[in-house]
Amino acid sequence: MKEIVRRALAMALALVLLVALPAHAQDEPADPLDALLATSEPEQPAPENGTPAQTEPAPPAPLETIPVQSEAAPPEPPKPEQRKVPRGLEEIIVTATKREANPRDLPASITALSGEQMESQGYQGQEDFLKLVPGVTFSNDTINANRVTIRGIGADLNTSNTTGVFLGDVPFEDPTLPRVTLDPNPFDLARIEVLKGPQGTLFGGSALNGAVRYVPQDPRLDTWEEKAFVQMESVKEGDAGLIYGAAVNVPLGQTAALRLMAFDRRSPGWVDDTSRDLNDVNEVKQKGARLMGLWQPSEAWKISTLAVIQKTDVADSSITDNTVGRLSRSNTPQPSPVRTRYDLESLGIQYSFDTFDVQSQTSRAAKTFDASIDASRIGNPPDPTPPSVTIINDNESEALMQELRFTSNDSFSERWSWLGGAFFRRIHTEDITDILGSNQMLPIPAPVLAGAAGVIPGFGGFITEDGRINTARGAADPIDVDEAALFGEATVTFWKSLDVTLGLRVFQTVSDSVVRFSGALVTSPDNVTTGQIEKVSAGKLKERGVNPKLAVKYEFNDNLSVYSSVARGFRFGGAQVLVGTLTSEAPAFYQSDVIWSYELGVRTQWMDNTLTADVTAFYLDWNKPQLQQADASGLGAFFDNVGGARGQGLEMAVRYLTPLPGLTVSLSGAYVDTVTTTPFTTSSGVETQPGTRWPLAARWQSSTTLAYQRQLFGSWQGGATLLYSTISSAPNTLSYLDTVFGYETLDATLSLSGGESRGRPELTLSLANLTDTRGIISGVNNPQFAKDHNYIRPRTLVARIGFTF
């Protein structure tokens, strides 16, 4: 596969040279392939009376995952009174390349999901919509940050994510100890864009092998708009929950507008804790709001603001202690609540000159994470498990970002388009992790404990400020990461058919940290005798690099195009920040890892733009991937770079607007094979040989959607959707401690919309996981917790009503 892709890339580059060499700046020769294509593409006459052909809106689908352009006018238009409106699939315009474009015009693999259509399906998070994107998997245990794996390249537990997450162009992921997930409610989003492959040229170290971009709905000038929804969810063997939200667009004169969105969500629990005789313990409460402002005092100026806040309270973990489908556990005598909060602000200022635009974007993102995790089951003691080990984690981070960007506009040139700019980001993180050996309070007054902690360094590693026995403590204060970069990208077009894109990002990252380790599992007898009861790990890591990208796209005609690309991505390295113990032998630093991607894609459309079929082949070369390794105690851990990995595979996506009016069929699938390429030995002494499958890299995925909609009466429309998804099994860790995935799901939705009725009501009734499949989404990550398993949500009835005024 690697050789095939490389040869295809070489052929594409050779085509560029052969075609480009005869070109002249002022007088371009005819495309040498025109003569070959002329016989298969007859000239089409213009429509009568100079009237452009109209395009009939396609029937709504559950998700618009394969956007395409409208077909040209029919070759022999009938008389006006007999003319039929041609059918055709719709398109979604994206801004994944920091300018508006149709994804089918870009030499990249991008899936665009409509926010409006996700609303109508009642989707609430990444687990709902990512299963529709071929080659993408999702894992979550309700405690750690979500892990999104693209094309088999995924992050190990606690390592920084390989998939970047953005709100617009603002990066959200922390490069060290990511704890909080950006997973906004789809309500009032314009769209979600999933970008596959390294995005290092435009997005830097935040997107090693892909990105998920949430794009909010912009404020609208001269338009007053209100919308609201109420949604009820009822889970089999679980509780019921209510979600509601509202949004309003307020015009302020002719040149300004505000848009406000707010929602409140109570997601029902469905896991029972028999050790505490409690049912449905994993309830989630979430609140959020978003305020956007737009001011355009003239045609040249555009000033925009964004402010977002979201709070999430997870009452308890959703882990179970079995693999037989039982939604309960009996080995957690204490709850594991998790509370997260984030707020994000951004100010954008844009000025448009005659041939290019200048944009400044200043942003800030702050996050907090507070968790109390029951680890009494460590060592897998027999039931009933007594309350004992508790892991307390408090994490805070703040990022300040500045980007200055120059972008050519349509007036610059018919052949050239370009952008360039500079980016700077500074991230400050503080993280404290306590491993409590007991929750029993010592009979020592708080002032005495505070005084001892102030005099004896590392005293808090043995006894906390509230008098509890502490086994180990890791206090990272601070972790500072700076990223500075210059980036640019240019595209030139030859003969209106061949596009060549070259991108480059030159960057420097600096990671500076101080981490103090203390406690019984950390301090050695030698340290105690010398009066040192804590270990300090401090250091600075500076790295420089270049991320290039080269892409070639050739459009044979409106119905067929091919592209080939090669790109490089990277992920931040840094100093050790996890809690170590006496048995931990960790390197002082872990390095950044690098990935090279080779991609070849074919895009086709058929039958007057009612059928599209795309195929993409890729090869990924991953050098020194980052891995979390556990020490012999099972409590300590550290980061390390281990060997290498490679991924290869095929993706396909088909969408068909059938002859039956209102019926659309969508099919997507992926085959991914990601394995290690270099032998290495884990900290526990396990030999990992080449060919070992990478964690969470499912080999097979598919998603099939049948969507039907028809006119009922007046302006009312009815619809129905069936979504069938499959995913093959995958190892949960490199050591094969557990197997996850390997399940199928079926979702069904009925909808009724009022069209031109007052309030434009829309009612939907859905059954998610109709067959009540017990799919495992997260498994054992540590041999000390050999029973931990998280299931996907059981069959859930969702009823939703929405209004737009």
Side-chain angles (χ1 to χ4, degrees):
M1 174 66 70
K2 179 178 181 180
E3 187 62 27
I4 293 174
V5 175
R6 286 183 172 175
R7 288 186 179 182
L9 179 61
M11 292 175 63
L13 294 177
L15 177 63
V16 174
L17 295 176
L18 289 173
V19 176
L21 284 175
H24 297 283
Q26 302 298 327
D27 185 18
E28 293 185 275
D31 191 331
L33 292 180
D34 281 348
L36 296 176
L37 300 175
T39 57
S40 60
E41 187 182 12
E43 183 180 357
Q44 297 183 0
E48 287 186 354
N49 303 324
T51 304
Q54 297 179 345
T55 301
E56 178 187 38
L63 286 175
E64 185 64 62
T65 62
I66 314 176
V68 298
Q69 291 179 316
S70 300
E71 188 61 46
E76 295 183 7
K79 295 180 180 180
E81 64 272 13
Q82 298 176 341
R83 182 175 299 157
K84 295 181 179 180
V85 179
R87 303 188 306 154
L89 295 171
E90 294 179 332
E91 64 183 31
I92 296 178
I93 300 301
V94 301
T95 53
T97 56
K98 302 197 176 186
R99 64 170 76 237
E100 291 188 350
N102 182 342
R104 296 182 68 83
D105 292 336
L106 299 174
S109 182
I110 300 172
T111 299
L113 313 175
S114 165
E116 181 178 345
Q117 293 166 349
M118 281 189 293
E119 285 182 28
S120 66
Q121 296 295 309
Y123 291 163
Q124 294 297 306
Q126 292 177 339
E127 67 275 15
D128 294 323
F129 66 81
L130 285 178
K131 61 185 177 183
L132 293 154
V133 185
V136 178
T137 65
F138 169 86
S139 180
N140 175 255
D141 58 9
T142 68
I143 293 176
N144 296 286
N146 294 350
R147 288 189 285 168
V148 178
T149 299
I150 294 181
R151 293 176 171 172
I153 305 298
D156 195 26
L157 195 65
N158 286 320
T159 62
S160 60
N161 289 319
T162 57
T163 300
V165 182
F166 298 78
L167 188 62
D169 288 333
V170 181
F172 186 85
E173 298 292 331
D174 287 337
T176 306
L177 295 178
R179 300 300 190 203
V180 182
T181 298
L182 177 67
D183 193 11
N185 195 289
F187 180 61
D188 205 43
L189 284 179
R191 63 189 176 277
I192 296 175
E193 302 171 3
V194 182
L195 292 67
K196 299 176 187 176
Q199 304 298 320
T201 303
L202 295 182
F203 297 108
S206 298
L208 175 73
N209 190 50
V212 178
R213 296 182 69 241
Y214 295 91
V215 183
Q217 195 72 256
D218 287 331
R220 297 172 179 171
L221 303 177
D222 300 324
T223 301
W224 184 280
E225 182 184 11
E226 298 168 309
K227 57 190 296 189
F229 80 97
V230 177
Q231 180 169 311
M232 186 276 293
E233 298 179 343
S234 179
V235 183
K236 181 184 178 182
E237 298 187 30
D239 201 358
L242 188 67
I243 309 167
Y244 54 90
V248 59
N249 189 90
V250 181
L252 304 174
Q254 302 295 316
T255 61
L258 293 175
R259 193 174 187 94
L260 172 65
M261 183 281 291
F263 75 96
D264 191 304
R265 173 189 180 191
R266 178 181 175 269
S267 183
W270 36 269
V271 172
D272 301 334
D273 188 346
T274 60
S275 59
R276 294 183 291 145
D277 196 26
L278 295 175
N279 297 329
D280 311 326
V281 297
N282 58 320
E283 178 187 69
V284 177
K285 294 181 179 179
Q286 191 176 74
K287 294 182 178 181
R290 180 172 63 244
L291 176 64
M292 302 183 68
L294 175 63
W295 180 37
Q296 293 184 260
S298 67
E299 292 184 1
W301 286 98
K302 180 180 179 181
I303 301 173
S304 58
T305 60
L306 168 67
V308 178
I309 185 171
Q310 183 165 302
K311 299 179 180 180
T312 304
D313 289 339
V314 180
D316 203 348
S317 168
S318 62
I319 63 167
T320 69
D321 60 2
N322 65 91
T323 58
V324 297
R326 188 177 66 250
L327 303 177
S328 65
R329 62 176 184 264
S330 61
N331 57 357
T332 53
Q334 306 170 95
S336 298
V338 176
R339 298 178 179 85
T340 65
R341 178 187 184 277
Y342 67 79
D343 62 90
L344 184 150
E345 301 82 36
S346 182
L347 170 65
I349 302 175
Q350 177 178 314
Y351 186 82
S352 298
F353 292 91
D354 291 339
T355 58
F356 67 95
D357 302 333
V358 180
Q359 182 174 5
S360 168
Q361 182 168 283
T362 306
S363 307
R364 170 189 174 273
K367 318 174 192 85
T368 60
F369 175 90
D370 298 302
S372 177
I373 310 303
D374 176 43
S376 302
R377 62 197 183 282
I378 188 170
N380 303 292
D383 296 335
T385 303
S388 56
V389 180
T390 305
I391 300 175
I392 308 294
N393 183 221
D394 297 320
N395 181 287
E396 296 183 1
S397 70
E398 182 180 42
L400 300 176
M401 294 155 280
Q402 175 64 49
E403 180 172 286
L404 180 64
R405 188 166 70 242
F406 301 82
T407 308
S408 66
N409 56 37
D410 293 339
S411 300
F412 178 79
S413 171
E414 293 184 358
R415 295 184 56 204
W416 287 88
S417 64
W418 54 265
L419 66 84
F423 175 81
F424 178 79
R425 175 168 59 156
R426 168 163 291 175
I427 306 167
H428 176 85
T429 303
E430 298 176 7
D431 184 276
I432 297 178
T433 301
D434 289 315
I435 302 177
L436 304 181
S438 171
N439 272 337
Q440 298 298 317
M441 302 290 184
L442 296 177
I444 303 176
V448 175
L449 294 173
V455 174
I456 306 175
F459 182 79
F462 293 89
I463 302 176
T464 65
E465 295 177 357
D466 55 3
R468 291 185 288 180
I469 299 174
N470 203 354
T471 304
R473 162 175 283 196
D477 183 12
I479 305 172
D480 290 327
V481 178
D482 291 347
E483 177 186 10
L486 297 174
F487 62 91
E489 188 171 286
T491 299
V492 59
T493 301
F494 299 98
W495 300 291
K496 300 182 180 180
S497 300
L498 177 67
D499 292 338
V500 181
T501 300
L502 179 64
L504 197 67
R505 187 182 188 96
V506 181
F507 66 89
Q508 174 178 286
T509 64
V510 179
S511 177
D512 191 358
S513 64
V514 177
V515 187
R516 301 179 185 276
F517 302 107
S518 56
L521 291 179
V522 176
T523 304
S524 67
D526 293 338
N527 286 342
V528 173
T529 57
T530 60
Q532 300 294 323
I533 61 174
E534 70 174 8
K535 294 193 301 185
V536 179
S537 175
K540 178 183 291 188
L541 177 66
K542 180 183 293 186
E543 296 182 301
R544 296 184 177 93
V546 177
N547 282 341
K549 180 178 78 171
L550 174 63
V552 179
K553 174 178 175 287
Y554 189 86
E555 186 174 314
F556 291 89
N557 51 49
D558 291 341
N559 300 320
L560 174 63
S561 64
V562 298
Y563 76 89
S564 181
S565 68
V566 56
R568 180 185 186 271
F570 84 103
R571 180 170 51 161
F572 295 96
Q576 294 295 341
V577 292
L578 296 180
V579 176
T581 68
L582 289 174
T583 59
S584 297
E585 295 182 2
F589 297 93
Y590 59 97
Q591 304 295 321
S592 62
D593 47 357
V594 173
I595 194 167
W596 281 94
S597 169
Y598 307 89
E599 188 169 329
L600 177 66
V602 179
R603 296 199 180 103
T604 67
Q605 61 185 40
W606 311 79
M607 297 185 293
D608 294 331
N609 192 25
T610 59
L611 172 65
T612 63
D614 300 340
V615 179
T616 305
F618 58 86
Y619 182 89
L620 305 167
D621 187 3
W622 193 4
N623 187 32
K624 295 184 178 180
Q626 297 170 9
L627 190 73
Q628 174 180 293
Q629 301 212 51
D631 63 20
S633 73
L635 291 174
F638 59 92
F639 296 143
D640 200 3
N641 297 90
V642 291
R646 67 106 179 107
Q648 59 186 356
L650 287 170
E651 297 168 348
M652 73 86 170
V654 177
R655 189 154 188 257
Y656 181 36
L657 186 59
T658 69
L660 179 63
L663 178 62
T664 303
V665 180
S666 301
L667 172 64
S668 64
Y671 169 76
V672 178
D673 181 31
T674 304
V675 297
T676 60
T677 57
T678 306
F680 64 91
T681 303
T682 66
S683 59
S684 57
V686 176
E687 294 278 347
T688 301
Q689 297 299 324
T692 303
R693 291 178 62 191
W694 193 258
L696 306 181
R699 278 206 172 103
W700 294 97
Q701 282 179 274
S702 71
S703 176
T704 304
T705 302
L706 299 178
Y708 178 70
Q709 187 159 357
R710 62 168 296 173
Q711 201 79 16
L712 297 178
F713 51 87
S715 62
W716 287 81
Q717 290 186 331
T721 303
L722 281 177
L723 169 62
Y724 174 64
S725 302
T726 69
I727 182 171
S728 64
S729 61
N732 198 46
T733 64
L734 272 180
S735 301
Y736 284 75
L737 295 177
D738 201 3
T739 299
V740 295
F741 306 147
Y743 57 84
E744 306 171 0
T745 59
L746 181 65
D747 302 337
T749 301
L750 296 174
S751 64
L752 180 66
S753 57
E756 300 301 322
S757 301
R758 179 176 176 80
R760 288 182 284 171
E762 183 177 20
L763 299 89
T764 58
L765 188 65
S766 304
L767 274 175
N769 193 4
L770 179 63
T771 56
D772 198 29
T773 298
R774 293 290 188 266
I776 296 176
I777 197 173
S778 178
V780 179
N781 286 293
N782 190 317
Q784 298 286 357
F785 307 100
K787 296 181 179 180
D788 287 6
H789 291 90
N790 294 74
Y791 291 103
I792 62 174
R793 192 162 65 165
R795 180 167 59 237
T796 303
L797 174 65
V798 180
R800 184 183 189 276
I801 181 170
F803 297 93
T804 302
F805 298 93

